[in-house]
């Protein structure tokens, strides 16, 4: 059961940022396992069980990232990540084609939300085509998003919109190359107790209708073939 991250968790994250090398990590590996990886896994297990209970037919799985960076993608960075995250998602051969729930802890703070990591262009094309067919559903969801203050829509945009949006409310989706609906915060006291579990269980259900909308997107026809 998750009981909270600790001061040692934070110290380790800052330590690996400024000492990102094998000798430092090996000397502090037990701290990493006990105060970072273990509580992250326990938190992941609880949130996974909660979301699976909300959507039992989705076959959701949970994944906790490894601290080791892919050696092929270091790009001058050290071999270790300074943050950890977990995801809850449907398994898929094309993992960028499915949305995920996530929680991430970093030296400066934490984030959680739902979205895609580097979705394929065809995924976003399917999204625009679905909105074209039924703009009202997305407009209703966007109005609900604007009425609350926990989550915000963040997008990485193309230089120009891919096509004209049906309404001003929907314009962000016609510029978006990728997106997430995210909550960001500092290292709040909630992280160091079970309060963060209660907070996530209270807030994440807002994202379930969004997940329902996107999780079936990969099965839509490719609009480029129509």
């Amino acid at each position: 059961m998750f009981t909270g991250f600790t001061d040692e968790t934070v110290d380790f994250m800052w330590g690996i940022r400024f000492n990102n090398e094998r000798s430092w990590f090996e000397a502090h590996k037990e701290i990493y396992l006990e105060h970072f990886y273990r509580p992250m896994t326990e938190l992941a297990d609880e949130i996974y069980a909660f979301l699976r209970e909300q959507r039992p037919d989705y076959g959701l799985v949970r994944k906790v990232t490894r601290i080791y960076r892919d050696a092929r993608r270091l790009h001058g960075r050290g071999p270790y990540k300074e943050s950890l995250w977990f995801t809850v998602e449907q398994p898929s051969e094309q993992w960028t084609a499915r949305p995920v729930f996530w929680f991430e802890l970093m030296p400066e703070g934490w984030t959680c939300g739902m979205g895609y990591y580097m979705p394929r262009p065809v995924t976003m094309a399917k999204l625009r085509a679905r909105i074209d067919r039924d703009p009202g559903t997305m407009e209703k969801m966007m109005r609900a998003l604007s009425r609350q203050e926990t989550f915000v829509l963040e997008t990485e945009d193309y230089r120009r919109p891919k096509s004209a949006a049906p309404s001003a409310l929907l314009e962000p989706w016609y510029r978006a190359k990728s997106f997430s609906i995210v909550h960001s915060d500092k290292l709040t006291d909630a992280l160091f107790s079970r309060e963060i579990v209660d907070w996530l269980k209270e807030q994440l259900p807002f994202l379930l209708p969004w997940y329902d909308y996107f999780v079936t997107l990969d099965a839509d026809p490719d609009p480029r073939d129509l």
Side-chain angles (χ1 to χ4, degrees):
M1 184 177 71
F2 178 80
T3 57
F5 295 103
T6 66
D7 291 340
E8 287 87 349
T9 311
V10 180
D11 291 342
F12 177 85
M13 288 190 291
W14 283 108
I16 203 68
R17 171 173 289 185
F18 293 110
N19 304 276
N20 204 310
E21 54 190 29
R22 180 180 174 83
S23 60
W24 191 92
F25 176 76
E26 290 298 327
H28 296 80
K29 188 172 182 178
E30 290 305 314
I31 295 175
Y32 159 70
L33 292 172
E34 179 67 19
H35 295 280
F36 202 3
Y37 185 77
R38 181 184 60 78
M40 183 66 73
T41 301
E42 292 171 346
L43 180 60
D45 287 343
E46 291 204 46
I47 299 308
Y48 163 64
F50 172 74
L51 291 173
R52 185 180 59 181
E53 184 178 293
Q54 306 302 308
R55 294 296 186 271
D57 297 332
Y58 278 173
L60 297 173
V61 298
R62 77 106 172 100
K63 300 177 182 179
V64 179
T65 187
R66 299 169 70 246
I67 197 169
Y68 307 97
R69 286 197 175 111
D70 188 333
R72 299 168 297 176
R73 297 179 173 86
L74 291 182
H75 304 301
R77 298 175 297 179
Y80 306 104
K81 301 167 187 170
E82 62 192 35
S83 66
L84 283 185
W85 62 87
F86 69 80
T87 62
V88 178
E89 60 194 271
Q90 276 192 336
S92 173
E93 293 182 5
Q94 294 287 337
W95 58 273
T96 60
R98 296 290 177 90
V100 304
F101 293 96
W102 88 89
F103 173 93
E104 181 175 12
L105 182 62
M106 301 161 285
E108 299 89 352
W110 61 278
T111 69
C112 70
M114 189 282 303
Y116 287 81
Y117 179 71
M118 297 176 62
R120 298 174 299 167
V122 66
T123 300
M124 300 307 290
K126 289 179 178 182
L127 172 58
R128 294 189 296 271
R130 180 181 284 191
I131 296 174
D132 285 341
R133 294 192 299 270
D134 175 23
T137 296
M138 180 58 79
E139 287 177 334
K140 180 179 179 180
M141 294 166 67
M142 289 292 284
R143 285 192 289 269
L145 184 65
S146 69
R147 289 195 296 266
Q148 53 82 59
E149 298 180 349
T150 301
F151 298 100
V152 296
L153 175 64
E154 293 184 354
T155 62
E156 178 186 356
D157 293 344
Y158 293 106
R159 290 186 177 182
R160 297 182 181 86
K162 285 297 183 178
S163 57
S167 66
L169 189 61
L170 299 176
E171 285 180 358
W173 300 105
Y174 288 74
R175 299 191 303 265
K177 182 187 302 184
S178 65
F179 77 92
S180 58
I181 302 172
V182 58
H183 173 84
S184 300
D185 214 330
K186 298 177 182 179
L187 294 177
T188 51
D189 290 342
L191 294 168
F192 302 93
S193 70
R194 285 193 56 79
E195 186 179 341
I196 191 63
V197 178
D198 297 334
W199 188 94
L200 290 168
K201 288 182 177 181
E202 180 180 350
Q203 300 299 330
L204 288 179
F206 174 80
L207 298 178
L208 286 170
W210 290 88
Y211 188 81
D212 295 338
Y213 185 88
F214 292 113
V215 76
T216 58
L217 197 59
D218 194 43
D220 281 9
D222 187 336
R224 301 171 299 184
D225 296 335
L226 301 178

